[in-house]
Amino acid sequence: MAHFRVKITKNIEKIYPIEDGMTIGREAKNQIQLLNTSVSRVHCKLLKKNNSFKIQDLGSSNGIRVNNIHVQEQLLAPGDVVQVGTMVLVFENDIFQEKLEFLDISQNPLTEEDLERLCRQERIAIQFNTSHKYVEEAVEIGERFLQSTTFDEMGQMALVMAFREAIGNAERHGHKYEYDKIIKVVYENKPNYFSLCVEDEGDGFDFHETLRKSREGDAVTAARERYQAGGMGGLGIRVMLKCVDKVIYYNKGSRLILVKYKPKEDKNEE
């Protein structure tokens, strides 16, 4: 499924999956609501055409631009930058729709040789039943994968902490320890960044509201409420924001992407 990636703050982005007929605008009735005065109440519409989408202006005050060119309507391609008023949206394809082959580590335990082979690749995609044992194994795979980068010890420790928080949240809060539910994890070792994508089968959560509450209270109270409520806690979000450069979450919150940029001297850039 295609989606729009929208920058919310300096290090938080939100992803909206796209469907035929969706509208974008300032009012709450839009499927993609952009709270910005440069955006009209109902600004534009998305229409499916073959295997892609067309964006169409609906008579907005400030119009739409695609790759910095003003358009009335435009067929979108992956990577296109769409400007709605002053808000910037990036049109992308979902990596989970790229026919990824997920290795099920709960059914097929990895050998040392398997792990060495995987860590030589650009991407590792695994899945597993909801169990703390497999959560820890998934974190260890990410930790091992990091050894092929030049993040220093502190950088690697921060990333591993973020991995454990993100994957552990899928176990605790997304699935509430239900063993039969599947957690999917994708690590990517790109030339200029390292990322983790975690997807669970839970109902998601209100990312902004959770983060707002954690900022208003103290850390101990936030941590206590986090476990009592059974939902993803703002304290965990704050930990991840301190450990990585960017947090990207999907509209319903059941998928999270963490991104940390590499030092410029990283060997993968050569």
Side-chain angles (χ1 to χ4, degrees):
M1 179 182 292
H3 63 243
F4 271 130
R5 176 164 50 87
V6 183
K7 188 170 186 177
I8 305 299
T9 67
K10 180 181 178 181
N11 54 359
I12 299 176
E13 295 182 357
K14 184 174 182 178
I15 286 180
Y16 294 89
I18 298 173
E19 295 181 1
D20 187 28
M22 289 179 67
T23 59
I24 301 173
R26 198 172 67 249
E27 290 188 345
K29 67 180 181 180
N30 295 282
Q31 287 76 29
I32 299 179
Q33 184 183 21
L34 301 177
L35 297 175
N36 188 288
T37 56
S38 70
V39 178
S40 296
R41 290 192 295 271
V42 183
H43 199 109
C44 53
K45 187 173 186 178
L46 291 158
L47 300 169
K48 192 165 187 179
K49 186 173 182 180
N50 298 325
N51 293 321
S52 191
F53 285 89
K54 178 175 68 175
I55 190 165
Q56 184 180 75
D57 192 354
L58 295 178
S60 64
S61 298
N62 295 313
I64 55 176
R65 302 177 74 88
V66 177
N67 299 327
N68 210 30
I69 299 173
H70 184 270
V71 299
Q72 178 61 35
E73 61 179 37
Q74 176 71 40
L75 191 65
L76 299 174
D80 279 350
V81 177
V82 178
Q83 191 171 324
V84 178
T86 60
M87 296 293 289
V88 176
L89 302 81
V90 181
F91 181 76
E92 298 174 326
N93 283 329
D94 189 343
I95 66 167
F96 277 69
Q97 300 298 316
E98 295 179 4
K99 298 182 179 179
L100 291 180
E101 293 186 9
F102 285 88
L103 294 172
D104 192 332
I105 61 173
S106 52
Q107 301 296 323
N108 301 291
L110 297 178
T111 65
E112 179 64 23
E113 292 74 16
D114 291 333
L115 190 53
E116 288 184 2
R117 174 180 54 81
L118 288 174
C119 289
R120 290 194 295 268
Q121 300 177 11
E122 183 182 76
R123 177 187 288 166
I124 297 177
I126 56 175
Q127 66 180 41
F128 47 90
N129 289 88
T130 302
S131 163
H132 188 65
K133 171 186 174 182
Y134 301 130
V135 167
E136 285 300 309
E137 187 173 341
V139 172
E140 290 170 6
I141 290 170
E143 185 173 11
R144 180 71 171 269
F145 201 17
L146 281 172
Q147 294 176 11
S148 61
T149 73
T150 57
F151 286 114
D152 61 20
E153 184 178 355
M154 291 300 294
Q156 291 191 32
M157 287 176 62
L159 275 166
V160 172
M161 185 183 301
F163 296 166
R164 182 166 280 110
E165 188 67 37
I167 303 172
N169 275 323
E171 175 198 16
R172 293 188 298 269
H173 309 307
H175 291 171
K176 298 178 176 60
Y177 302 100
E178 292 184 40
Y179 180 82
D180 290 337
K181 290 187 175 180
I182 300 297
I183 299 172
K184 291 184 176 181
V185 170
V186 179
Y187 290 108
E188 287 196 305
N189 184 16
K190 293 289 190 177
N192 61 336
Y193 69 85
F194 194 97
S195 69
L196 162 71
C197 179
V198 183
E199 182 181 68
D200 62 53
E201 298 179 294
D203 296 328
F205 68 105
D206 189 328
F207 191 99
H208 278 97
E209 181 66 12
T210 303
L211 187 57
R212 182 188 65 79
K213 286 182 178 178
S214 77
R215 285 171 174 162
E216 292 177 351
D218 63 271
V220 174
T221 301
R224 184 183 301 117
E225 291 178 350
R226 166 190 183 188
Y227 288 97
Q228 289 176 344
M232 188 174 186
L235 182 61
I237 297 171
R238 286 160 59 191
V239 167
M240 289 185 283
L241 284 170
K242 286 184 176 294
C243 292
V244 301
D245 296 309
K246 186 185 297 183
V247 174
I248 305 170
Y249 71 102
Y250 276 63
N251 198 9
K252 294 182 179 180
S254 58
R255 190 187 300 173
L256 200 65
I257 302 174
L258 308 180
V259 178
K260 190 170 182 66
Y261 296 108
K262 294 180 179 179
K264 290 184 179 180
E265 66 273 16
D266 194 287
K267 63 185 179 182
N268 283 346
E269 289 189 340
E270 297 177 358

